[in-house]
Amino acid sequence: MNDEELLKNEKVGKVLSPHPLSFMKYQSLCIFLIIWGILVGWFVYFSDWQNTFTDNFWLVLTFWGIGLLLAGVVASLVTVRWSIFLLYLGVFASGSTIVFWLGLQESVGLFASFYTVVFSIIGFLIVEWYRRSHKYIISNQRITFKGGILTKEERTLRYDKITDISAKQGIVGQIFGFGTIIPISQSGFGLGADESFAGGGIQLGEKKAKFLGFFGGGREVQTPRTRSYFELHGVYPYKEVKKLVESMVQDSVVTPYQQEQVSFQKEQVDIQKQMRDLLKMQSESKDEQQEPENEKDDDS
Amino acid sequence: MEGSPIDIVIFAPLAPILGVLLFWFIQLAFIESEKYFLDKIRPRHEPLCRFTNFLGVLFQTICHALGYTVTKSGISDFYISVNYGRVAPKKEKKGIFEWISNVFLFIGPFFIPACLLLLFLFFLMPGGFEITTPAQLIDWKYTFAGQINTFGTSLYAFSQGFFSFLFNIDLLHPAHFGFMFLMIFLGMGMRPSYIGEKKQEKVDMIYDLRNIWHLIAHKPLYLILLFLMSYVFFYISLFLDQNWYVALFSIFGWLSIISITSILIANMILLLIKTTDEIPSYWKLIPYITIPVSYILIRLLFFYFPVDFTNSASLLATILCTGLVTFLLLKYKADKFKTRIHIKLFKKKDKDEKDE
């Protein structure tokens, strides 16, 4: 953070970035691609079934594609995110297009293997780039969150505006000592919602007259969730940072005793103000009284 | 059938049990050696130790859950973290069911991970497994000596197949590589107790044994029942003349052999980590890079110049290369071997100066 960005009397306590393994959910997608790329190469050229694959372009392409798409479907169902399936579909579609475009039908096994591995390496680099774009600055007055590759996002949160702190540490986080801390603001920033929906359909009539009815119900559960650049995502050392943030929030919270003190001081100030006003009024009335007397003296 | 009736009726059933116990104790000793290595590398490799702890806790929790499933107690709560695991039953069952659940909890972690590896081996080992009674033992196979010989022969036959598979493992074969990978990982977590955050919290073999002894001493009746069941099983085998009794205990012996080998390989890795810690900066990465690079290069060499025993020769060459590289790095990049020569030189220099 530049000195220009600092507020008056602001001191930076910690500047943090996410741990290299904190984006494991994205990295694992790339790890699968590497493993699958190597496996395809091994199956086509070195396994006991290599004769089956030899000179069988469609079989190799189908084998490669089915592996990718099947993994995509499974991962998407598990994580409830169809973007994973679309990503793997994209890898397969783009790879197949290149094969037909460049006429690589004869060496499709080698190409598929190489392409998948290269794609996953690029994926790793993008994830790393994305990770490095994150920056969390913990100062004595606020937390500043920065992130984003192309569009730079920024969030500033004052400690007195934090109502709740949610923290989570996965198994990898527990092993390597990092975790995610989500400060939730008074406006509810930092909260997401888990939605579940159940539906059912009914069809009446067998041949001609058909009536289709659909009914369903949904439920929404509030859960601490936000973008990685709006939370302290995968920060290390987790316990230390959590303690720091909690103590900062605690320090900015006004205790009941302090509240009593403040209200008492406010009363005092009000009384003083009233007294000042009264004195002012008195002095004004005196002036007003003196003025006619002065005028009389002048006349005389 | 030869042999005295007392031998057959009383002592013969004990033979495979004693054999399994012996192997189990060897396994415990190896687990202790692994804990020693982990304890030594802990300050510099905290995440690795946490990871092995997690594996240990994971196996223990799974075994406990398995115990509740087997006893039909059900599982109401399953929680697992790096340092702690908890399983709660749906129905609190007392007596023998509780005891069986505890047997799974305390003894399961020694054998369940090895069961996984045995399952993999079944698909990977070309010859499969066999339990045979040697021809010379046929007449007295139901005596104590016969039982222990048959048990030993079965273990020998398994070990021969298992070690020939291991020494000829093809690390460029995905399934073989996966097996080796799993073996190292399971080897690191194949222990019921874990190393705590602080040294004084370290639980050792005595802790494990104390738990098991408590389990036995708390309800001796169930142990006697288990022994009786074993005896009954032995008599059934005897009357049907099918040596299933030894076959059953042989499987426990196999599991112990797999566990011991896994722990041994994991120990080798831990030793490498401990040794490379003495090498400064990025030089310490060289031995780890040497392992795959040397293996691939040697396999390529043998691909163009084929010889017999390619896989085992490649493995041996890789181990030698890694050892040599580590030794050279220790010699030239760490002060491990330099000190003695330098001290001698300094002493000589001092002596010369004094003489002058």
Side-chain angles (χ1 to χ4, degrees):
Chain A
M1 191 179 238
N2 299 330
D3 288 344
E4 292 167 4
E5 290 177 72
L6 289 173
L7 300 174
K8 194 183 172 187
N9 297 329
E10 188 177 17
K11 282 175 191 169
V12 175
K14 261 185 195 297
V15 179
L16 300 161
S17 290
H19 190 274
L21 295 174
S22 60
F23 288 99
M24 190 45 100
K25 62 181 176 185
Y26 299 122
Q27 285 158 340
S28 56
L29 297 177
C30 303
I31 291 169
F32 168 75
L33 282 180
I34 287 187
I35 293 170
W36 185 239
I38 293 168
L39 274 177
V40 167
W42 180 79
F43 270 111
V44 176
Y45 295 105
F46 299 104
S47 72
D48 296 338
W49 303 283
Q50 57 173 303
N51 291 329
T52 320
F53 288 108
T54 313
D55 299 330
N56 202 337
F57 160 72
W58 286 108
L59 182 67
V60 177
L61 198 70
T62 313
F63 178 68
W64 178 53
I66 283 177
L68 278 177
L69 299 181
L70 209 65
V73 169
V74 172
S76 298
L77 286 175
V78 170
T79 57
V80 204
R81 288 180 71 167
W82 283 100
S83 54
I84 300 170
F85 174 74
L86 292 175
L87 175 81
Y88 286 165
L89 183 69
V91 175
F92 177 59
S94 58
S96 307
T97 311
I98 294 169
V99 167
F100 285 112
W101 189 26
L102 300 176
L104 297 169
Q105 282 89 338
E106 284 185 9
S107 53
V108 66
L110 185 69
F111 171 79
S113 181
F114 187 72
Y115 179 75
T116 317
V117 172
V118 168
F119 202 96
S120 68
I121 291 168
I122 293 168
F124 265 119
L125 292 175
I126 292 170
V127 173
E128 184 57 20
W129 189 17
Y130 182 64
R131 182 186 76 82
R132 283 176 186 239
S133 74
H134 291 68
K135 199 70 77 187
Y136 311 122
I137 301 133
I138 300 175
S139 74
N140 58 340
Q141 293 181 7
R142 58 185 175 156
I143 310 175
T144 310
F145 309 79
K146 291 179 175 184
I149 295 177
L150 298 174
T151 308
K152 301 289 176 193
E153 301 271 358
E154 196 170 328
R155 177 194 183 191
T156 300
L157 189 60
R158 265 169 44 201
Y159 293 114
D160 59 329
K161 298 293 175 197
I162 297 173
T163 53
D164 198 359
I165 291 173
S166 167
K168 60 181 173 187
Q169 205 181 16
I171 287 295
V172 183
Q174 285 175 50
I175 290 167
F176 290 94
F178 65 84
T180 298
I181 300 158
I182 309 175
I184 298 159
S185 70
Q186 286 168 359
S187 61
F189 202 93
L191 276 178
D194 275 341
E195 277 182 58
S196 58
F197 187 83
I202 189 165
Q203 193 176 6
L204 295 173
E206 294 230 332
K207 285 183 180 173
K208 283 183 181 175
K210 284 184 180 177
F211 169 75
L212 185 73
F214 190 83
F215 55 89
R219 200 171 69 158
E220 193 180 274
V221 180
Q222 288 280 311
T223 183
R225 188 187 299 140
T226 183
R227 305 249 177 238
S228 58
Y229 37 78
F230 292 146
E231 63 184 15
L232 295 169
H233 184 89
V235 285
Y236 175 87
Y238 166 73
K239 283 177 185 168
E240 201 179 296
V241 177
K242 191 167 157 264
K243 201 174 172 183
L244 176 73
V245 173
E246 278 176 348
S247 62
M248 288 289 198
V249 172
Q250 192 62 37
D251 290 347
S252 68
V253 172
V254 183
T255 61
Y257 173 73
Q258 284 171 326
Q259 278 178 345
E260 208 175 297
Q261 289 285 310
V262 169
S263 62
F264 181 69
Q265 282 174 357
K266 204 178 167 188
E267 273 175 29
Q268 293 277 314
V269 171
D270 287 345
I271 291 165
Q272 282 173 355
K273 273 182 183 172
Q274 281 173 1
M275 284 171 73
R276 188 191 64 191
D277 293 343
L278 279 169
L279 284 168
K280 205 176 173 182
M281 278 168 69
Q282 274 181 350
S283 64
E284 277 173 2
S285 62
K286 268 183 185 176
D287 288 343
E288 277 172 11
Q289 279 175 354
Q290 275 178 352
E291 269 176 22
E293 281 173 11
N294 289 341
E295 279 174 11
K296 276 179 187 176
D297 291 341
D298 287 342
D299 290 341
S300 62
Chain B
M1 192 190 300
E2 290 177 11
S4 68
I6 295 174
D7 188 358
I8 294 168
V9 174
I10 296 169
F11 293 112
L14 287 174
I17 297 174
L18 292 176
V20 169
L21 273 178
L22 175 74
F23 274 91
W24 183 57
F25 269 94
I26 297 170
Q27 193 180 333
L28 274 175
F30 272 83
I31 287 170
E32 277 310 292
S33 68
E34 188 185 84
K35 282 182 186 171
Y36 170 79
F37 278 123
L38 282 170
D39 203 35
K40 286 281 166 198
I41 65 166
R42 188 174 183 101
R44 285 190 180 191
H45 301 278
E46 185 75 25
L48 178 74
C49 289
R50 281 201 211 120
F51 174 67
T52 61
N53 273 348
F54 170 69
L55 286 177
V57 173
L58 177 76
F59 293 141
Q60 201 168 21
T61 319
I62 288 172
C63 290
H64 203 183
L66 210 63
Y68 283 134
T69 313
V70 167
T71 54
K72 288 194 172 178
S73 303
I75 300 159
S76 69
D77 183 24
F78 187 92
Y79 170 81
I80 189 157
S81 76
V82 169
N83 295 317
Y84 176 67
R86 184 183 67 235
V87 186
K90 258 184 194 166
K91 285 176 274 179
E92 281 283 353
K93 285 189 175 179
K94 295 284 173 192
I96 186 89
F97 297 109
E98 187 193 10
W99 194 80
I100 291 170
S101 304
N102 285 334
V103 166
F104 267 90
L105 170 66
F106 294 126
I107 300 176
F110 292 104
F111 298 107
I112 303 273
C115 258
L116 268 176
L117 288 171
L118 189 74
L119 200 72
F120 268 87
L121 267 180
F122 181 75
F123 294 108
L124 291 176
M125 260 169 69
F129 315 126
E130 54 174 329
I131 299 158
T132 51
T133 308
Q136 69 272 19
L137 295 176
I138 294 293
D139 286 339
W140 47 287
K141 66 178 174 183
Y142 292 110
T143 61
F144 183 84
Q147 286 283 294
I148 209 122
N149 262 305
T150 313
F151 180 74
T153 312
S154 165
L155 254 55
Y156 172 74
F158 173 78
S159 305
Q160 205 176 22
F162 176 54
F163 286 114
S164 70
F165 168 74
L166 268 190
F167 290 124
N168 288 295
I169 200 163
D170 179 5
L171 291 178
L172 295 183
H173 188 296
H176 286 202
F177 179 79
F179 178 78
M180 183 51 85
F181 196 71
L182 200 69
M183 204 166 174
I184 293 167
F185 270 53
L186 294 187
M188 283 188 179
M190 216 175 273
R191 56 202 158 87
S193 51
Y194 63 90
I195 298 168
E197 292 281 326
K198 290 172 189 169
K199 204 181 172 184
Q200 60 263 32
E201 285 177 20
K202 185 192 164 201
V203 281
D204 53 14
M205 190 165 89
I206 305 298
Y207 176 86
D208 300 332
L209 288 176
R210 204 185 297 137
N211 271 334
I212 292 162
W213 174 248
H214 179 74
L215 185 75
I216 294 164
H218 189 57
K219 295 273 166 63
L221 190 72
Y222 298 140
L223 191 76
I224 294 164
L225 202 72
L226 206 70
F227 263 95
L228 275 177
M229 278 166 68
S230 302
Y231 272 71
V232 169
F233 186 47
F234 173 76
Y235 300 141
I236 292 168
S237 302
L238 177 76
F239 287 118
L240 295 174
D241 197 21
Q242 298 286 328
N243 214 351
W244 291 326
Y245 185 71
V246 171
L248 177 77
F249 282 96
S250 294
I251 293 169
F252 282 101
W254 298 351
L255 294 176
S256 275
I257 288 171
I258 294 172
S259 300
I260 291 165
T261 316
S262 307
I263 295 165
L264 197 68
I265 294 170
N267 277 1
M268 281 165 69
I269 304 284
L270 294 176
L271 181 68
L272 182 71
I273 293 169
K274 189 175 171 291
T275 314
T276 50
D277 277 348
E278 290 168 17
I279 301 166
S281 71
Y282 290 106
W283 289 100
K284 67 171 72 170
L285 296 175
I286 302 289
Y288 301 107
I289 297 165
T290 309
I291 299 171
V293 170
S294 62
Y295 188 78
I296 291 166
L297 286 177
I298 294 159
R299 286 298 299 271
L300 274 174
L301 185 78
F302 288 142
F303 183 74
Y304 289 109
F305 304 100
V307 289
D308 292 335
F309 309 114
T310 307
N311 291 346
S312 38
S314 307
L315 267 182
L316 192 69
T318 303
I319 293 167
L320 287 175
C321 279
T322 313
L324 186 71
V325 166
T326 313
F327 175 79
L328 289 174
L329 284 169
L330 280 173
K331 189 172 167 61
Y332 292 108
K333 290 290 166 193
D335 289 325
K336 192 82 181 167
F337 303 111
K338 278 182 188 172
T339 324
R340 203 185 301 164
I341 303 161
H342 280 195
I343 286 170
K344 276 184 182 174
L345 283 171
F346 276 118
K347 275 182 181 173
K348 200 183 169 190
K349 206 177 171 183
D350 273 356
K351 201 181 171 187
D352 290 344
E353 278 174 4
K354 277 177 188 173
D355 289 344
E356 278 173 16

